[in-house]
Amino acid sequence: MGKGYGYGKVILFNEHFVVYGIPAIASAIDKKTVAIVKKCDGEEFIIHDNREETPGYKKEKLEQQKESIVRIKKAMGIDECIEIWLSGDLRAASGVGASAASCAAIARAIADEFGMKFSDEEINEFAYEGEKAYHGNPSGIDNTCATFGGLVWYEKGKKMELLKMEKPVEIVMGDTGIVANTKKAVEGVRERREKYREKYDKIFEEANKLVYEAREALLSMELERVGELMNKNHELLQEIEVSSPELDFLVNIARKAGAYGAKMTGGGLGGYMVALTPGKELQEKVAKAIEKEGYYALRTRIGI
Ligand code: MEV
């Protein structure tokens, strides 16, 4: 029996822009997906997905999940049938890196079951192969966070850089409950960017400038500035039309409750938003405000 894990993640700056080579910052969160893999008799694989979920998520993603397992097995050179069990404390939902966490966990569990030794870099590549089933042409930021953990500075096609914050900081992630299609969100940006090239170039330029400031602010623990930049980043994401009324609603609830900043996170069009809430007290206040509106709130930390 083989076992593996992958971290959930939160993108703090520049989802979508990262697909075009602009740097992004993301952090693993202290929630994981765990995979158990066992050789079995039969065709390609059997999957038991025991993860908690946002209602409808697993059904909606089932075909992509199956394709992703086929891709991971192929990349790892595994022909035998495998039985897979997924569990862990990362709730399966859009915007929290659930697909990438499961891909990294499955790749690690397969390696463990077949007694294969792979570096984290290699596991990351297998997870990236699996992610293609969910995203089409992923930037690689999600599988990188899922595999390595930590606070990550990511530029597509380059080696990721781990950033070190002085200490972890509390965040709240609010789930709209909407299962979103990342592939569709990414394609939408591509189409609109082609159509409104000049407008989009300006927005992309701002995103590029902003992320360098955000890096400095995070490293020097200027958390109020980090919050302001998250708000600004949310505006840019609204401009490229990947936010949604539900995301905007939760972002406003979090800001009103005192969050230093808040934005959508991940693919958008549903899924999660994130609020920066240093200290347990503020975190609780913001989480409660989100829950009072009937939404699920995840209390976690960045920079762990
Ligand atoms: C999805 O979590 C992040 C996106 O930027 C897509 C990607 O980077 O592949 C929207």
Side-chain angles (χ1 to χ4, degrees):
M1 194 182 81
K3 194 171 176 185
Y5 65 89
Y7 296 101
K9 67 96 198 19
V10 58
I11 301 186
L12 294 170
F13 294 98
N14 279 355
E15 47 274 272
H16 285 285
F17 302 109
V18 68
V19 173
Y20 298 84
I22 292 174
I25 301 175
S27 177
I29 58 171
D30 57 1
K31 303 275 180 256
K32 280 192 202 120
T33 292
V34 177
I36 302 282
V37 164
K38 232 176 125 193
K39 289 177 201 159
C40 62
D41 296 324
E43 298 286 303
E44 276 188 306
F45 63 86
I46 304 163
I47 174 106
H48 311 277
D49 193 342
N50 300 323
R51 293 174 297 171
E52 266 188 51
E53 65 168 339
T54 290
Y57 177 89
K58 291 196 278 196
K59 190 159 171 252
E60 181 74 31
K61 303 282 171 182
L62 187 60
E63 287 314 308
Q64 295 178 347
Q65 184 183 48
K66 286 184 186 164
E67 190 195 325
S68 129
I69 296 168
V70 171
R71 281 176 167 278
I72 294 171
K73 280 185 68 192
K74 187 160 176 240
M76 297 181 81
I78 299 296
D79 294 327
E80 292 92 330
C81 180
I82 53 172
E83 196 164 356
I84 306 168
W85 288 263
L86 289 181
S87 62
D89 58 1
L90 178 67
R91 214 163 143 266
S94 300
V96 71
S99 60
S102 72
C103 289
I106 291 170
R108 282 193 168 116
I110 292 177
D112 191 22
E113 170 68 349
F114 287 84
M116 300 153 106
K117 290 266 169 287
F118 289 114
S119 64
D120 278 352
E121 282 75 13
E122 287 166 313
I123 292 291
N124 192 28
E125 279 177 24
F126 301 139
Y128 181 69
E129 273 310 306
E131 268 288 272
K132 285 182 185 166
Y134 294 93
H135 279 209
N137 183 20
S139 67
I141 189 168
D142 289 8
N143 46 280
T144 299
C145 273
T147 306
F148 295 96
L151 184 68
V152 171
W153 172 268
Y154 188 81
E155 284 183 67
K156 194 178 175 183
K158 293 199 184 155
K159 200 170 178 304
M160 66 97 178
E161 188 187 344
L162 275 179
L163 303 178
K164 189 96 197 91
M165 284 174 78
E166 224 168 77
K167 59 179 182 124
V169 176
E170 289 75 13
I171 58 166
V172 175
M173 295 179 73
D175 186 1
T176 59
I178 297 169
V179 177
N181 184 335
T182 305
K183 211 178 216 170
K184 201 170 133 207
V186 171
E187 272 164 18
V189 174
R190 190 171 301 282
E191 279 163 23
R192 289 187 294 276
R193 180 172 173 262
E194 271 165 28
K195 212 163 152 196
Y196 310 111
R197 193 53 198 260
E198 217 175 298
K199 175 181 166 196
Y200 271 58
D201 279 353
K202 276 197 193 125
I203 302 170
F204 278 50
E205 232 176 79
E206 280 193 60
N208 188 53
K209 217 171 109 213
L210 183 148
V211 73
Y212 287 93
E213 270 193 64
R215 177 191 168 115
E216 287 315 307
L218 277 165
L219 292 179
S220 55
M221 293 296 276
E222 288 167 69
L223 298 180
E224 279 174 13
R225 184 70 187 135
V226 175
E228 279 166 21
L229 291 166
M230 285 169 72
N231 290 342
K232 180 69 200 155
N233 206 213
H234 184 68
E235 266 175 41
L236 299 179
L237 290 160
Q238 283 176 316
E239 284 174 36
I240 63 169
E241 296 180 43
V242 288
S243 191
S244 74
E246 299 80 5
L247 282 165
D248 294 345
F249 175 72
L250 290 184
V251 160
N252 285 331
I253 293 286
R255 287 179 189 159
K256 273 195 203 134
Y260 283 27
K263 64 182 275 289
M264 56 154 275
T265 184
L269 303 181
Y272 272 98
M273 49 68 71
V274 54
L276 186 69
T277 56
K280 283 240 172 285
E281 204 177 304
L282 181 58
Q283 183 185 44
E284 203 46 39
K285 191 167 169 234
V286 171
K288 287 249 166 68
I290 288 172
E291 285 165 350
K292 198 165 153 248
E293 297 294 335
Y295 294 89
Y296 175 81
L298 172 63
R299 296 151 174 86
T300 182
R301 291 181 307 164
I302 55 167
I304 44 168

